[in-house]
Amino acid sequence: MDKSQIEALLVGVQQGKIAVDEAMEQLRELPYSDLGYAKIDNHRALRNGYPEVIFCQGKALPHIQGIVQKMLERGERNILATRASRAVYEAVAEITGEAEYHEDARIVVVRRQPVRLKTEKPVAVVTGGTADIAVAEEAAVTAEVLGNRVERLYDVGVAGLHRLLSNTGVLFSANVVIAVAGMEGALASVVGGLVDKPVIAVPTSVGYGANFGGLSALLSMLNSCASGVSVVNIDNGFGAGYLASMINQM
Amino acid sequence: MDKSQIEALLVGVQQGKIAVDEAMEQLRELPYSDLGYAKIDNHRALRNGYPEVIFCQGKALPHIQGIVQKMLERGERNILATRASRAVYEAVAEITGEAEYHEDARIVVVRRQPVRLKTEKPVAVVTGGTADIAVAEEAAVTAEVLGNRVERLYDVGVAGLHRLLSNTGVLFSANVVIAVAGMEGALASVVGGLVDKPVIAVPTSVGYGANFGGLSALLSMLNSCASGVSVVNIDNGFGAGYLASMINQM
Amino acid sequence: MDKSQIEALLVGVQQGKIAVDEAMEQLRELPYSDLGYAKIDNHRALRNGYPEVIFCQGKALPHIQGIVQKMLERGERNILATRASRAVYEAVAEITGEAEYHEDARIVVVRRQPVRLKTEKPVAVVTGGTADIAVAEEAAVTAEVLGNRVERLYDVGVAGLHRLLSNTGVLFSANVVIAVAGMEGALASVVGGLVDKPVIAVPTSVGYGANFGGLSALLSMLNSCASGVSVVNIDNGFGAGYLASMINQM
Amino acid sequence: MDKSQIEALLVGVQQGKIAVDEAMEQLRELPYSDLGYAKIDNHRALRNGYPEVIFCQGKALPHIQGIVQKMLERGERNILATRASRAVYEAVAEITGEAEYHEDARIVVVRRQPVRLKTEKPVAVVTGGTADIAVAEEAAVTAEVLGNRVERLYDVGVAGLHRLLSNTGVLFSANVVIAVAGMEGALASVVGGLVDKPVIAVPTSVGYGANFGGLSALLSMLNSCASGVSVVNIDNGFGAGYLASMINQM
Amino acid sequence: MDKSQIEALLVGVQQGKIAVDEAMEQLRELPYSDLGYAKIDNHRALRNGYPEVIFCQGKALPHIQGIVQKMLERGERNILATRASRAVYEAVAEITGEAEYHEDARIVVVRRQPVRLKTEKPVAVVTGGTADIAVAEEAAVTAEVLGNRVERLYDVGVAGLHRLLSNTGVLFSANVVIAVAGMEGALASVVGGLVDKPVIAVPTSVGYGANFGGLSALLSMLNSCASGVSVVNIDNGFGAGYLASMINQM
Amino acid sequence: MDKSQIEALLVGVQQGKIAVDEAMEQLRELPYSDLGYAKIDNHRALRNGYPEVIFCQGKALPHIQGIVQKMLERGERNILATRASRAVYEAVAEITGEAEYHEDARIVVVRRQPVRLKTEKPVAVVTGGTADIAVAEEAAVTAEVLGNRVERLYDVGVAGLHRLLSNTGVLFSANVVIAVAGMEGALASVVGGLVDKPVIAVPTSVGYGANFGGLSALLSMLNSCASGVSVVNIDNGFGAGYLASMINQM
Amino acid sequence: MDKSQIEALLVGVQQGKIAVDEAMEQLRELPYSDLGYAKIDNHRALRNGYPEVIFCQGKALPHIQGIVQKMLERGERNILATRASRAVYEAVAEITGEAEYHEDARIVVVRRQPVRLKTEKPVAVVTGGTADIAVAEEAAVTAEVLGNRVERLYDVGVAGLHRLLSNTGVLFSANVVIAVAGMEGALASVVGGLVDKPVIAVPTSVGYGANFGGLSALLSMLNSCASGVSVVNIDNGFGAGYLASMINQM
Amino acid sequence: MDKSQIEALLVGVQQGKIAVDEAMEQLRELPYSDLGYAKIDNHRALRNGYPEVIFCQGKALPHIQGIVQKMLERGERNILATRASRAVYEAVAEITGEAEYHEDARIVVVRRQPVRLKTEKPVAVVTGGTADIAVAEEAAVTAEVLGNRVERLYDVGVAGLHRLLSNTGVLFSANVVIAVAGMEGALASVVGGLVDKPVIAVPTSVGYGANFGGLSALLSMLNSCASGVSVVNIDNGFGAGYLASMINQM
């Protein structure tokens, strides 16, 4: 139930088209639906502007199915499930025919109405290398589902700076930039020095040795000498896409 | 030299009021001024929208003076010097009578023309405790100098949640929130769960023991279960204020 | 052999119903039973009030069987085996028909007499998310087997604070609270700020990236700005349930 | 304002001895007093059972004075200020003649009425070495001010086990044990194995080399093979004393 | 070729029973045998008193076979291969019928002549728990093969101190003690405080959570407050057994 | 396209043998070829002197095939693919019959013209142990493909110093030395103290326990007390071989 | 009171020269003397063979004086106080004229009877550099006071291997070797590979940067590829000297 | 005594101008001079091509004086003392009038004959910021004293990339590049991607917060995605200058 749905409900009540009892019933689970193993935050769309997202990693398949089922019953228009394996996708597909799977991004989307662009201004998603694409796609698909236009610019790491410098058009026209990089994570600083828009840095666990599971890129990005750069968790493509959308639609 | 100054120069040339030679001379140091020990990035105002900021920590006083001198000569309207001790302030004050010192924030501002609010929308700066105020003030003063209205909400950490919950008005009316906290840094997650605006989390080194110089708050904020939260370096009030201003003025 | 069993034995001797030799034999292994690969601490029930618990992780199946066998022979009323895979359960079930398996909690209980509630005061077990339930169940089942009433309150993490705040009844009526959370572990601080009872914080390894196997939640909980919070090892649901029981029955 | 004071106020209103306006005024700052730089949590005594404690480290002297002043005006019976240097003590002594300084414990107590023992059951505070005494005293004084009888047992580390074993009387008669140790922190495990009461382990930063500021004792205590042991932050004597008091008075 | 074999060779030359050429040939590979992928340190027995030991982890099976083959040709009396999987054992068994496998200890021994006790004084190997036995056996078997009498005392961790205290006979009669423990590793300190003989502490990776792969036990043992304790690498049973043998035979 | 190929093209244009249009077409992708998921840095051979190398780890097989295909079309003479599993080799072999697989080194080389020695001066590759050979071979094969003569000296770790000291000839005649070692990584310091040539130290993740995935050797090498030693990432044989070649051919 | 003193006492009783009461009084504090802030382990000399040593770091001067006073009264023959500043020395000198100060070693010795060599076999103390000498002297003086002959070999680090190799005489004639080194700590491995005697490795905090307070040398020594090496805490010269003495006198 | 001095000595002997006895005496201390607290590696100039350098940090002033004195007596032409405070300079100046102090670089040089350029090819030293200059100067002065031409390019960090890109001339003409940077250390990767010469990366401890004393820059540089980059210890300007000289003079 997002803002427009609640507004429609209240207008219906005001106009006598919906009985108070019926409205009460619909609003009963407004704060959250309690499934025992999960409390779905239905109020989130009102409070944060977006419906709750299902983080699948570590959740049992029946739990995921139960949550999706409840959200469908509650009339959520679009459902986003992240860190979703193919098995998750298949479990959701048993429940609804509207599930689609973004394999690279490990995201399941249940799209019950077309995503409408909420702004024309693009979000740029850039990566240092080819191996960072999975995380980048998580960010890109998230931003797209939330109503943003996304420009992808992949494999432009600083070891071959001209690849980035010959594509500054994408960077300069973007309203928000998501910089995804593993190894030394220098991309975020270089991009941050070039643009006058917020840069959301996503360290990835891509690399080996003294990378220590993404620590090198994380520290590098936190210590960026460029202003306007902030950082999300290692491999957290979803968080970057979500925040980019929030900023882009301000 | 910011955008409007360059535009004025070009219009002067177009209208024949400024000779090409003279304009060339003024533009000669546009990319940067080279002082040997420092290369002042004059182009930054064009590229990033704000003039270069002087990070004083680790710089010798004569170097800081030299940089300020050059920026004054270059006609920078307002100069911001961060991590500035009182000695830095006094050194700058020797050069220009317009320097003012924000002691809490450890910031020197050389204000050559009044700061104009660029937007009415406020930036909220909240802290977990009283000891986080120095970092918070660095963020707040930075945002104010860059033309933002700032609302301060200090000492509302999660150990007494009602202090925060009875001030949600400040949070809900803000366009961007800067959450500053040391120790366990839980404030960022709680704030992030309450608002639908970007939250910039600043971990501070306030604490002791297993705080490890701010590591506990840093990791906590990076792992925030709330969406819309991103993180800057430990104690990096300036970075948060700068990014908040950038987002607030979009 | 718990306190009441030893008392009964001594009374039997006093009343001449049990011969000294026979009593001696029964008491011979009172300090511990030596199996070579293990020394079962039979004295523990006297010293610590609870029988020794079998930590199965890293132990060979025949060793676990040997220990259970010995404890059964020694007349332990109830046996608790933690970190038990299904294979462990099956190995124990070969020996005794009284084994029951709590799959979520990975606990095997051999219940030879009904668990009696030793106090009416409840222990509350709360989790930040659905993925923390396995650890929470280890704590809950442990506390139940040791004679406590347990209230479960799952998926009330700080990203949707109203889910917690609308359930404060459970928290306020509890005598001890076990707060189980991964990621940023902020739940412990928020709960600690709300209640005036001991809070046992259990960091979990749930999360990814800069979570570093539970380190983020661990540090967060150790640095809690709320008083009355103490911490056990990452994922140590058993330890929390055991300590909660100890405090609850004081 | 603690529970009994509020009750007295309400009874006064009920009996017509206190006007509603006057009561309203007295209750106006019940949730918290806002000093700008600090929000004193007056509600805490109701919610958590104890008044708010002033953590002095990192706070400016005038701020500390302001907070104490406000608490005195609000009629707090006893005020506890921890991590207090001698300078803090002197600043507080300027405001009230009732301040006393516990140098070992770095605690200032403003005692406006005698501390009444709330239980006869003792809390034992044991240390591994002589150098751990400062942290132990912070715990002991805190517990004493909160109304507990405290037994001290210092310098009984595991390198000379008989020193501990010949004092088990203190341990066995205690209702809660606080185990304070640096270096390898083994004391907590040994004590935990001996008693059937909750053990609150306090790692200290005492040691050198691979002690890494208390990390060795912290990890050791978190990994304790003894049940019934939980851990607070490194050097957090106050937290241990507070929690011990909470458990002891259940 | 150990010391006695070389001595015999030289005596043979002295007495004219062995030709110089023949002796030269036998001594040609005295420093080391070069297999390309390995340089077997034949000189080791002379220099360090023991033949080189094969550390199998990370070595290819054919390489291990090649090394064993060469050592057999060189006339090594007894060969020790550590960190040996069953596959390694089978590969060695293809080459020589004299290989025996110690499964617990993951050690293959090729015994070409009976091990002779070089001293009557025993080495004690004690463990904190049952799960530490694999590492302990690596130490014990190593010490036995090198000619020492070994006393095993397993599962005597500090959570049940009487199990250790009732077996002090083993400790007091030992000439060297190897203390093997995971989790908090307190065993080493307790043992070190009881005996007046060298204690070799072996931290194990047994545990979970904040154990961090053995780090907790390692730091604990390095910070031991007991004198006479030194530490080898995590899980390094071989190193402990070897060093114990060296000390025991002084 | 390396330097000589571009020069030939330009000479052809100069001499009228190649039409400008045709030359333009050949030069169109000079900076990089854009495959969407990858931007192949064709300019690299001009800028860095060597063609771009394919780092296979984390890349999908079709992506690797696409990159190789493009490089073949672009006329690259020799292609190097590192961190290549057998599956990668087979995927490349589907495309070109010229692929050869160095299993130890996990490298695929597509050799379209014989490698020509660019200098007679040898690069020495030395290892501490047999288990370091995989990393060493990655370095050695890389250096060989880039036109260097390589001398291998394996298993000469400091535990048997005479194995190294009896082979100093190899070290003294080398122009650059690559020292590959895990565990304590002391080899780099010892070699660095012996030679007057640059030593490139490669820490390996070989070891266990407090090796922490190569951290021990990494720190050891960074802290080398010998001058002339620099370090590359853990297990980064390719980086060492590449840098050695660069220095060797100066 | 060491073994010979107690024996003399008992013989006196046996022969009627000492009254039982008098002997009782002398034995009353045998287990430990309780000073409140310290429990001096008098039994240690019986149990561990050496009297208790005073670790001065972190102890108040009056406490140190009290402990020394008590030990003098108890008739300890020789007293060793480590980590002693000059101020500690002066405080002890106030009490007894027999205190001598070893400045390099930061050790105070109260020598009431000449130290008698308990064995002719020497302990060798070797260092990597000149800056390691303070730690080495702590080890050397400790071993000397405990009755050992000590050979010093300083500044023989692996960067100039011939300095070590030309002094192998000292190493080969030693019965135990203490290897003291900071930075990369390679000395321990090299020495361990050369001798057939126990090597006690002492990592020092000497170095900078990625030395991380001695961590690099510590990890290096723990991962030593040489057998017969064990490690004590960073900068723990005393521990090494004590253990060396224990082994040397076996 | 460098190579040419020894050669001259031998020629003198050959020609009968120097008696064998006299030559013997001069060569007596060739391997090293033993001062007890230090063993000066005189052989180093022969073995490594450069005389031994005095690392002053942690050495006592009299020791430094003793070492310089000995080196002067031994006829070293030029002496380099690094990490030298002004007090060190003054102590050396007492001994010889030829000492000069490079304050920025914290280096004392005793120049007994003019430094002769050994190659015309320049070494470039570049820094990310002004605060990195101290480390950079240590590298630059070292390289100059060893006979190299040095080009300095300071404050060209990646936040203002045009400052670097407009100075590529310096980079492209250099034979070796030393890249000095703190914070995120991205400079090394960017430079490594631009040039085809060896890049020696020096992480500095410049920064704050999650910089952790230089760890962020160190990890960043070790994980550099650019080839041809190797790393020395944090703040190790000397090591970089020495290695650069070695490579530059090949």
Side-chain angles (χ1 to χ4, degrees), chain F:
Chain F
M1 253 189 156
D2 62 21
K3 287 188 182 179
S4 63
Q5 289 173 312
I6 294 176
E7 198 176 15
L9 181 74
L10 294 179
V11 168
V13 170
Q14 191 185 38
Q15 300 175 337
K17 290 180 183 159
I18 298 174
V20 166
D21 276 11
E22 193 185 334
M24 282 297 283
E25 180 61 19
Q26 284 194 40
L27 289 174
R28 199 176 50 83
E29 286 193 342
L30 185 61
Y32 60 86
S33 305
D34 195 341
L35 304 182
Y37 53 80
K39 293 189 177 48
I40 308 169
D41 188 348
N42 301 317
H43 182 252
R44 188 173 185 81
L46 274 187
R47 203 173 67 246
N48 288 77
Y50 297 103
E52 185 162 6
V53 170
I54 309 170
F55 179 76
C56 298
Q57 188 176 305
K59 287 205 180 70
L61 288 186
H63 287 183
I64 295 170
Q65 288 179 314
I67 294 169
V68 169
Q69 188 65 51
K70 190 67 185 180
M71 290 174 82
L72 291 172
E73 288 167 24
R74 294 270 316 147
E76 294 294 356
R77 279 171 182 160
N78 292 311
I79 298 174
L80 194 67
T82 64
R83 300 280 161 124
S85 62
R86 181 157 284 278
V88 166
Y89 164 64
E90 283 160 7
V92 174
E94 282 177 22
I95 293 179
T96 167
E98 292 158 314
E100 60 192 55
Y101 190 43
H102 297 256
E103 187 145 22
D104 268 7
R106 287 162 305 163
I107 284 181
V108 173
V109 184
V110 181
R111 236 185 262 261
R112 310 189 79 187
Q113 56 180 47
V115 170
R116 206 165 25 87
L117 267 197
K118 296 194 181 161
T119 172
E120 279 304 311
K121 292 176 293 187
V123 171
V125 180
V126 303
T127 76
T130 298
D132 301 313
I133 290 182
V135 175
E137 280 297 307
E138 192 182 87
V141 171
T142 297
E144 285 172 340
V145 168
L146 296 175
N148 302 277
R149 196 150 62 76
V150 172
E151 300 280 349
R152 288 161 171 85
L153 182 56
Y154 290 167
D155 196 24
V156 292
V158 301
L161 208 54
H162 62 295
R163 298 178 302 183
L164 180 69
L165 295 181
S166 65
N167 285 288
T168 46
V170 173
L171 294 179
F172 292 163
S173 66
N175 201 38
V176 188
V177 181
I178 297 174
V180 182
M183 302 177 90
E184 90 278 64
L187 183 67
S189 290
V190 170
V191 168
L194 289 174
V195 302
D196 61 345
K197 292 291 159 44
V199 175
I200 303 170
V202 191
T204 72
S205 54
V206 168
Y208 60 91
N211 165 286
F212 296 123
L215 183 65
S216 58
L218 173 63
L219 291 184
S220 181
M221 288 168 167
L222 284 167
N223 285 281
S224 175
C225 56
S227 300
V229 177
S230 64
V231 187
V232 296
N233 198 358
I234 297 164
D235 290 338
N236 188 6
F238 164 71
Y242 187 97
L243 176 57
S245 172
M246 191 183 261
I247 295 172
N248 199 37
Q249 297 175 14
M250 286 176 79

Side-chain angles (χ1 to χ4, degrees), chain A residues 250, chain B residues 119 121-124 171 173-177 197-198 247-249:
Chain A
M250 285 177 81
Chain B
T119 171
K121 293 176 292 186
V123 170
L171 295 179
S173 66
N175 201 38
V176 188
V177 181
K197 293 291 160 43
I247 295 173
N248 199 36
Q249 297 176 15

Side-chain angles (χ1 to χ4, degrees), chain B residues 20-181:
Chain B
V20 166
D21 277 10
E22 190 185 337
M24 283 297 284
E25 180 60 18
Q26 285 193 38
L27 289 174
R28 199 177 49 85
E29 285 194 343
L30 185 62
Y32 59 86
S33 305
D34 195 341
L35 305 182
Y37 53 81
K39 293 190 177 48
I40 308 170
D41 187 350
N42 302 316
H43 183 254
R44 187 173 185 80
L46 274 187
R47 203 173 69 244
N48 287 77
Y50 298 102
E52 185 162 6
V53 170
I54 309 170
F55 179 78
C56 298
Q57 188 176 306
K59 288 205 178 70
L61 288 186
H63 287 184
I64 294 170
Q65 287 178 315
I67 295 170
V68 170
Q69 190 64 51
K70 190 68 184 179
M71 290 173 81
L72 290 173
E73 289 166 23
R74 292 271 317 147
E76 293 294 355
R77 278 167 182 164
N78 293 309
I79 298 175
L80 195 65
T82 64
R83 300 280 162 122
S85 62
R86 181 158 283 280
V88 166
Y89 163 65
E90 283 160 8
V92 174
E94 283 176 23
I95 294 179
T96 167
E98 291 158 315
E100 60 192 57
Y101 190 42
H102 297 256
E103 186 145 22
D104 269 6
R106 287 162 305 162
I107 284 180
V108 173
V109 185
V110 181
R111 235 184 262 262
R112 312 189 79 186
Q113 56 180 50
V115 170
R116 206 166 25 88
L117 267 197
K118 296 196 180 159
T119 171
E120 279 304 311
K121 293 176 292 186
V123 170
V125 180
V126 303
T127 76
T130 298
D132 301 313
I133 290 182
V135 175
E137 280 298 306
E138 191 181 86
V141 171
T142 297
E144 284 172 343
V145 169
L146 296 176
N148 302 276
R149 196 151 62 75
V150 171
E151 301 279 349
R152 287 160 172 85
L153 182 57
Y154 289 167
D155 196 23
V156 292
V158 300
L161 208 55
H162 62 294
R163 298 177 303 182
L164 179 68
L165 295 181
S166 66
N167 285 288
T168 47
V170 173
L171 295 179
F172 292 163
S173 66
N175 201 38
V176 188
V177 181
I178 297 174
V180 182

Side-chain angles (χ1 to χ4, degrees), chain E residues 78-145:
Chain E
N78 292 310
I79 299 175
L80 194 65
T82 64
R83 300 281 162 124
S85 62
R86 181 157 284 279
V88 166
Y89 164 64
E90 283 160 7
V92 175
E94 283 176 23
I95 293 179
T96 167
E98 291 158 315
E100 60 192 55
Y101 190 43
H102 298 257
E103 185 145 25
D104 268 6
R106 289 162 304 164
I107 284 180
V108 173
V109 184
V110 182
R111 237 185 261 263
R112 309 187 82 184
Q113 57 181 47
V115 170
R116 207 168 22 90
L117 268 196
K118 297 195 180 160
T119 171
E120 278 305 311
K121 293 175 292 185
V123 171
V125 180
V126 302
T127 76
T130 298
D132 300 313
I133 290 182
V135 175
E137 280 297 308
E138 193 182 88
V141 172
T142 297
E144 285 172 341
V145 169

Side-chain angles (χ1 to χ4, degrees), chain G residues 14 34 67 98 129 152 171 184 186 224:
Chain G
Q14 191 184 41
D34 195 341
I67 295 170
E98 291 157 315
R152 289 160 172 85
L171 295 179
E184 90 278 63
S224 175

